[in-house]
Amino acid sequence: MPVTTRPPSGLAAPPDGAPTVRPAQDGTSRPPVPWRTRLRNDRQMLLMMVPGVAFLLLFFYVPILGNVIAFQDYQPYLGIRESEWVGLDNFIGLFDDPDFLNAFSNTLYLAAWQLVFFFPIPLLLAVAVDSLVSGRMRRWFQSVVYLPHFLSWVLVIALFQQLLGGAGLVNNALRHLGADAIPFMTNPDTFPLLVVAQLVWKDAGWAMIIFLAALASIDTSLYEAAAADGAGRWRRLWHITLPALRPVIVLLLILRIGDILSVGFEQFILQRDAVGAQAAEVLDTFTYYSGVVGGGWSVGTAAGLFKGLIGLVLILGANKLAHTFGEAGIYQKRAS
Amino acid sequence: MSSSTNPHLSRRSLLGAFGLITAGVSLASCGSGSSGTGAAVGAGEGAAKSAALKLPTYKEFAGAAPDFPGSAEGLQAGYRKMPTPVASTTAPPLKGRVTALSQTFDTVAPGMKDNAYWQRLNAALGGELDMQIVIDDYPAKHATILASDDLPDLMWLPPNQGIPNVAPMLEAKFQDLTPYLSGDAVLEYPNLAALKPESWKTAIVNGKIWGAPIPSTPFGQVMHGNKTMWDQVGGLQCSSGAEFMEKVKELNDPARNVFALQPAYINVLHMVSQWFGVLVNWMATSDGTLVHRFETDQFKAALDFTSQLFRAGVFYPDANVPDISARLVNGTVAAEVNSGPHDSRKYWDLKPDAQTEILVPFAFEAGITPIYNMGYGTVGFTPFKKADEGKIRELLSLVNWLSAPFGTTEFLQKNYGTEGEDYTLDSEGNPVLNKSGLTNIPGVRSALNIMTSPENVLFFPGHADDVEYVHQQEQKLIAMGWRSATAGTFSDANTKYGPTATSAFYDKVVDIVTGRAKLSELDAAVARWKKDGGDRIRKEYEAVLPEDVRIFPI
């Protein structure tokens, strides 16, 4: 996506902070602006960044250092400095552990389900919302579909249990009609379906917002011209809407792929007892149970680090792929 | 937890405090067994030293005589009403501020600054007892505080929430209290001397005493039933597995949303194994070896029966039910497994005239001798951060004050506060918390009682007849009661590998009960449990098996 930045020059910023436009690159070198002047000119911007940067440093970058315990036999009462170094033992141990392998394969399996069945739905929703003519109707629909995002997983799952659980509304109705209850919530084979259904209900409306923003940026004259040339609804969707959304779709897809092993935590830990660890253990719950609860801090960290590495590889790979297909991806090498 | 004496302890007390799993949720982790090799003390070495230690001298508290006497075997003394309290200490124990980490199993109370009961308690203590009270997931909090190296003076150590590597942790960070408490030295702290030798065993690791034990009920899990419901099918007591199956099927009525059993499969399986006559964990055989319940044919048969119960649809159909006790009281769930007989009282909080029954184990079929599993007996101990002698003596005086037995003024102050301010006396002279007491006390009291407690008694204010009923059922249970062969001994491997190995095993067991796995998969799960720690734990326990261990007929 094109990003507008402030000019790296000594041009005085407008006092009201209105966006400035990048000056044309003329290729000639300007005299370098002294460091102190730049600092003075940008001080408001820099000040505004401080909390964000501090937050990132404190809660994202500093804790990364803690990952060294993946290479130790870490004991909380000994601390990082005195715990014994064991090299790659924890990682080797992971791959001998059937529970880890089970969690890993569950994660991949559930991620595939989420990618195939969840990812397209916000797009479809956005297109549907965008096609609503009445502004009031649109706003109402938007609010209705994105409000569930603000409910916690505990509530979402409680709601599903009230509806679909063994003693829930649907099954009670079935029993009254003399039919057998259907184990929606406790059948491990249909668990991926349940998980995706919960995810769609909770988050599809929220994920739709980015697509809606992209849709709003499409020049309406394109639609008018196409309509004047006799293009129907579907042709306009196919030839104008989707191509316009393509960079956003690719961007979100890459981000999703990089994050693919984070299928969720609360959603699974809350339903682990209902369908069993065999179906519901994912990498994040594994890390929690073996690391924090079971005292295997090092093993849990190793699992987390492994997950992070896979994510990094995937995100770089997907970005590379995007470049190959001529998309912007999430970052670009600066053209030299 | 001064459980039996405390009428307001919430039902959540089960969840954290007692070993087996009370909510149908496996205790902990799924993980790989091993977390490394760094234990400071060699396997079993510590246990051998523990057997050689001189326990603190036992000197019973001479208070008011109970209406229903207790016994050395563990029967709890019962009181129909509160005796006139006497003082058990002469001076306030504290000189300054003391910090502590504990957990509450009751509604969270206002903090110290806004809590008049807590402030009055501090005044009685002569200083400030500043507790950090954890609400949930104590082991995680414990581990993070340990990692921060900024320890409080007192840090409750539960025996069964799966806190790993207890022995090296104690040696590295906590004070060895042996010189202060071993033998007659304990007599300086009379309320600690009134704790039974059986209780003290819990606080001994590597042959050293690390804190005062926290006695709880010596009883293990029991099944409570809604009396009105079970009366319709001839009562909760049964004489065979077939009869039990028949009764639960009759009680079950899904069309009306009525189910016979709470969905705590592991707990129900524990009840069923008692009907098959096996202990919950280690049993000593005549040739000096140990056998675990998981390895027995009886366990397999009990598991098979439990999965038959599941197939019959008599368990509540959702795995997560937060309000099972309320459902038992309102008649939509017929039976629930609780941490001990004293839990009869928890239903009165939900319905003052709730009537429940306690199931006494029966022979599943002719030829079997049913048994009852006695419990762990304590909820662990509270070690002290390393400090100079003056500070240690101050902390010991504090714990002595807080461990004052039922019938003392200290006990009354700790559990009910101050008369007129926090409680009033009813017509029978029993303390009843008033509105401010109900707000301020339960959350703090629960945290105090989980880290310090006297030996327990049965006392249910306003339900004197139930004291008698529970006392009677306890006598029946004790008559068929067994303790684990390893009770009172210690295994390093057990603290290290036990929790993860067991919880992975229970995951599979729940799969089998619910039909997600076949019964034939049990053997592989047992083999894995042995490999993940079971065999090492067995070896360590066998090495320190007491001479006089009671041989289990298996």
Side-chain angles (χ1 to χ4, degrees):
Chain A
M1 277 205 305
V3 178
T4 316
T5 54
R6 282 178 53 76
S9 68
L11 291 173
D16 59 350
T20 53
V21 186
R22 182 193 287 270
Q25 299 276 326
D26 53 11
T28 58
S29 57
R30 262 180 291 240
V33 183
W35 170 243
R36 295 179 58 156
T37 320
R38 282 164 61 184
L39 213 59
R40 196 174 59 241
N41 287 341
D42 289 342
R43 65 180 185 282
Q44 282 159 332
M45 292 295 173
L46 289 170
L47 261 177
M48 277 194 274
M49 279 174 67
V50 166
V53 171
F55 172 78
L56 276 175
L57 276 179
L58 202 62
F59 292 105
F60 286 80
Y61 286 88
V62 174
I64 284 178
L65 299 177
N67 274 317
V68 297
I69 70 171
F71 306 95
Q72 293 184 325
D73 175 21
Y74 174 74
Q75 300 299 345
Y77 53 87
L78 292 177
I80 289 178
R81 266 178 298 176
E82 285 173 51
S83 290
E84 190 188 346
W85 289 91
V86 296
L88 293 174
D89 280 7
N90 292 321
F91 293 89
I92 295 165
L94 274 184
F95 287 94
D96 287 337
D97 183 350
D99 290 328
F100 173 74
L101 297 176
N102 174 48
F104 188 43
S105 69
N106 277 345
T107 307
L108 289 179
Y109 182 61
L110 290 165
W113 273 81
Q114 287 185 358
L115 200 63
V116 174
F117 293 99
F118 174 76
F119 190 77
I121 289 185
L123 179 61
L124 297 178
L125 266 181
V127 173
V129 169
D130 199 53
S131 68
L132 290 173
V133 183
S134 151
R136 266 182 80 143
M137 191 69 185
R138 262 173 78 154
R139 277 195 299 279
W140 180 81
F141 186 79
Q142 254 187 61
S143 312
V144 167
V145 297
Y146 82 59
L147 272 180
H149 171 76
F150 298 100
L151 300 181
S152 72
W153 274 114
V154 179
L155 287 177
V156 173
I157 285 159
L159 209 68
F160 268 76
Q161 185 167 311
Q162 291 295 321
L163 270 180
L164 299 176
L169 195 69
V170 171
N171 277 325
N172 273 345
L174 283 176
R175 284 199 209 92
H176 272 295
L177 298 172
D180 281 337
I182 304 170
F184 297 104
M185 303 283 290
T186 48
N187 184 346
D189 298 325
T190 55
F191 184 61
L193 264 178
L194 178 72
V195 166
V196 172
Q198 288 165 343
L199 194 66
V200 166
W201 188 81
K202 184 175 189 298
D203 274 339
W206 181 253
M208 167 190 85
I209 291 175
I210 295 178
F211 288 115
L212 273 182
L215 280 172
S217 70
I218 300 177
D219 186 351
T220 45
S221 64
L222 286 174
Y223 288 111
E224 285 156 16
D229 285 346
R233 194 187 170 86
W234 295 108
R235 292 189 76 86
R236 276 176 291 172
L237 178 70
W238 187 253
H239 290 292
I240 301 173
T241 313
L242 288 182
L245 289 180
R246 206 171 64 174
V248 179
I249 297 176
V250 170
L251 175 83
L252 290 179
L253 199 60
I254 296 173
L255 289 176
R256 181 66 206 118
I257 286 174
D259 211 19
I260 203 158
L261 297 185
S262 302
V263 285
F265 175 71
E266 288 113 317
Q267 192 185 4
F268 295 95
I269 207 164
L270 288 167
Q271 301 188 87
R272 191 172 176 272
D273 293 319
V275 295
Q278 203 59 37
E281 189 88 290
V282 293
L283 283 181
D284 286 343
T285 53
F286 174 85
T287 303
Y288 176 73
Y289 279 111
S290 75
V292 180
V293 180
W297 295 84
S298 292
V299 176
T301 309
L305 201 58
F306 171 75
K307 190 187 124 187
L309 279 179
I310 300 265
L312 182 68
V313 169
L314 285 175
I315 210 164
L316 291 177
N319 199 50
K320 183 100 186 154
L321 209 64
H323 288 167
T324 321
F325 286 104
E327 294 292 341
I330 42 172
Y331 68 90
Q332 283 170 301
K333 286 203 181 105
R334 185 180 294 180
S336 48
Chain B
M1 178 167 44
S2 132
S3 8
S4 308
T5 46
N6 178 344
H8 289 289
L9 233 121
S10 98
R11 55 196 170 280
R12 279 183 59 215
S13 58
L14 317 172
L15 239 176
F18 288 91
L20 278 158
I21 293 109
T22 17
V25 181
S26 319
L27 239 192
S29 113
C30 55
S32 67
S34 138
S35 59
T37 51
V41 178
E45 182 191 324
K49 281 189 243 154
S50 294
L53 176 88
K54 188 160 191 217
L55 287 175
T57 309
Y58 176 55
K59 195 173 166 210
E60 210 178 341
F61 170 70
D67 300 300
F68 309 100
S71 75
E73 289 80 46
L75 186 61
Q76 293 168 291
Y79 290 84
R80 296 185 73 96
K81 55 185 259 225
M82 181 74 111
T84 314
V86 295
S88 69
T89 57
T90 49
L94 291 186
K95 298 182 197 84
R97 180 166 175 270
V98 166
T99 53
L101 180 73
S102 187
Q103 181 176 12
T104 189
F105 298 92
D106 214 320
T107 320
V108 180
M112 189 164 68
K113 288 196 173 54
D114 303 311
N115 193 322
Y117 151 77
W118 197 337
Q119 288 160 10
R120 282 190 285 271
L121 178 72
N122 279 338
L125 292 172
E128 185 179 302
L129 174 59
D130 190 0
M131 273 191 296
Q132 189 179 356
I133 302 176
V134 180
I135 297 159
D136 229 336
D137 207 353
Y138 187 82
K141 183 76 186 174
H142 188 275
T144 35
I145 288 203
L146 209 55
S148 81
D149 209 19
D150 184 15
L151 304 189
D153 298 318
L154 303 166
M155 211 168 166
W156 172 53
L157 189 64
N160 48 19
Q161 289 196 25
I163 288 187
N165 305 325
V166 169
M169 174 190 79
L170 288 170
E171 296 280 0
K173 296 286 179 198
F174 295 96
Q175 179 80 35
D176 171 12
L177 298 174
T178 318
Y180 302 92
L181 296 173
S182 178
D184 285 348
V186 76
L187 295 177
E188 199 171 323
Y189 307 98
N191 292 336
L192 300 184
L195 301 175
K196 293 178 180 166
E198 205 55 46
S199 303
W200 276 105
K201 286 184 180 172
T202 197
I204 290 159
V205 178
N206 282 354
K208 297 169 189 166
I209 305 174
W210 295 97
I214 307 139
S216 74
T217 158
F219 290 87
Q221 291 184 329
V222 292
M223 183 179 274
H224 276 89
N226 175 321
K227 190 167 186 307
T228 325
M229 294 176 81
W230 287 90
D231 280 350
Q232 295 163 13
V233 293
L236 176 60
Q237 310 304 329
C238 294
S239 51
S240 73
E243 186 187 342
F244 184 79
M245 179 64 100
E246 218 169 89
K247 284 180 174 175
V248 288
K249 278 186 178 165
E250 201 178 331
L251 276 170
N252 213 51
D253 188 357
R256 284 178 41 239
N257 219 348
V258 171
F259 297 92
L261 299 175
Q262 159 206 30
Y265 315 120
I266 296 290
N267 293 345
V268 172
L269 173 60
H270 175 209
M271 298 297 107
V272 177
S273 351
Q274 299 187 139
W275 312 340
F276 278 94
V278 280
L279 285 192
V280 67
N281 46 46
W282 296 104
M283 292 162 269
T285 62
S286 47
D287 58 0
T289 57
L290 289 171
V291 175
H292 196 280
R293 176 175 68 137
F294 298 164
E295 308 167 286
T296 62
D297 294 339
Q298 288 91 329
F299 179 73
K300 197 170 193 174
L303 179 54
D304 189 27
F305 182 71
T306 311
S307 70
Q308 286 171 29
L309 288 171
F310 184 87
R311 279 202 297 280
V314 298
F315 284 104
Y316 186 85
D318 289 312
N320 301 317
V321 212
D323 55 350
I324 211 75
S325 303
R327 286 173 188 274
L328 189 137
V329 167
N330 75 18
T332 57
V333 166
E336 171 184 22
V337 177
N338 285 314
S339 66
H342 56 87
D343 274 313
S344 295
R345 64 160 186 259
K346 77 177 186 182
Y347 300 104
W348 299 320
D349 290 346
L350 299 159
K351 194 179 168 204
D353 59 345
Q355 286 215 309
T356 55
E357 263 196 275
I358 296 168
L359 177 65
V360 176
F362 52 87
F364 183 83
E365 55 197 22
I368 295 176
T369 311
I371 57 102
Y372 173 71
N373 278 302
M374 299 300 282
Y376 196 82
T378 78
V379 289
F381 57 97
T382 302
F384 300 0
K385 184 171 82 171
K386 283 186 174 155
D388 58 65
E389 186 177 341
K391 182 76 174 178
I392 295 298
R393 294 239 174 245
E394 184 184 359
L395 294 175
L396 280 167
S397 304
L398 172 68
V399 172
N400 179 60
W401 195 100
L402 291 171
S403 305
F406 181 73
T408 61
T409 49
E410 293 87 355
F411 181 92
L412 196 60
Q413 174 92 49
K414 177 188 178 194
N415 288 282
Y416 296 93
T418 309
E419 190 180 351
E421 304 281 358
D422 303 301
Y423 71 88
T424 49
L425 292 176
D426 69 6
S427 54
E428 291 171 341
N430 293 318
V432 180
L433 294 184
N434 62 21
K435 198 161 165 249
S436 125
L438 281 172
T439 310
N440 289 333
I441 296 185
V444 181
R445 167 172 71 187
S446 166
L448 285 169
N449 284 334
I450 201 74
M451 55 177 269
T452 54
S453 171
E455 296 291 342
N456 285 279
V457 300
L458 292 172
F459 170 59
F460 309 143
H463 293 271
D465 292 341
D466 293 282
V467 173
E468 188 168 4
Y469 172 73
V470 172
H471 194 259
Q472 279 168 1
Q473 295 304 92
E474 286 194 349
Q475 281 171 310
K476 291 180 198 159
L477 295 173
I478 267 198
M480 53 171 66
W482 281 81
R483 271 176 200 283
S484 164
T486 59
T489 59
F490 182 81
S491 150
D492 303 324
N494 190 40
T495 62
K496 189 157 179 158
Y497 307 116
T500 32
T502 306
S503 77
F505 181 78
Y506 276 151
D507 277 346
K508 179 58 82 182
V509 163
V510 171
D511 283 347
I512 294 172
V513 170
T514 54
R516 298 192 289 255
K518 293 197 186 65
L519 186 63
S520 56
E521 293 174 48
L522 179 67
D523 296 341
V526 172
R528 185 171 164 216
W529 169 82
K530 288 187 191 174
K531 186 171 99 29
D532 280 357
D535 279 337
R536 298 173 70 154
I537 297 168
R538 182 204 324 271
K539 234 186 191 158
E540 290 191 15
Y541 276 136
E542 279 174 355
V544 293
L545 210 55
E547 294 280 306
D548 57 347
V549 69
R550 194 172 162 205
I551 303 298
F552 196 85
I554 194 165

